[in-house]
Amino acid sequence: MTVNSGIDDTQISGRWIQISFLIAAVLFNLCLIIQIFSVGLAYFYNSDWWNLHIWLVRGYGGLSLILLIWVFLIPFPRRVQNLTVSLPVLLGLQFITIHLKTSFPLAVFHPLIGFSLFSISTTLVHRTSRIVFPNHN
């Protein structure tokens, strides 16, 4: 006799993909927090912290591309997809504003884009957590 619980294996694997995506989004967000903290330490305390600031973006930048691929493996709402797509775009703009030398100093946009990146990353974590763990109240 086989007991059917009514839960499809596809639903279970899809749920784990969503949970894993959420964990990766949280990790990305935590890396951003540490990066913001490290730039503050480099500016206000000791410039040696600047190396951590640079190392972090090189370390977690690829995570935005992994999230980008991941968000399309399982159906997520359009809003979550758009937030995820914006992460590598903003990281690219961060790179351009700090490395491209023009007559107008594009570096002035670097902190503004960084704030947008942090805001979007935090919103992505919030939205994804509401999908993965819906409030049943």
Side-chain angles (χ1 to χ4, degrees), residues 23-95:
I23 291 168
V26 167
L27 179 63
F28 184 89
N29 195 260
L30 289 173
C31 287
L32 277 173
I33 291 168
I34 294 168
Q35 190 176 27
I36 292 168
F37 186 68
S38 70
V39 79
L41 284 169
Y43 187 79
F44 294 110
Y45 177 65
N46 183 341
S47 61
D48 291 341
W49 285 95
W50 188 252
N51 293 329
L52 177 63
H53 179 76
I54 293 169
W55 177 84
L56 276 170
V57 74
R58 291 177 182 164
Y60 76 84
L63 187 55
S64 69
L65 298 175
I66 292 169
L67 286 168
L68 179 63
I69 293 167
W70 212 337
V71 78
F72 294 106
L73 289 180
I74 187 131
F76 275 104
R78 187 67 149 166
R79 179 72 172 146
V80 170
Q81 290 175 350
N82 290 339
L83 289 166
T84 306
V85 166
S86 66
L87 295 178
V89 170
L90 289 172
L91 281 174
L93 288 173
Q94 283 289 79
F95 182 82

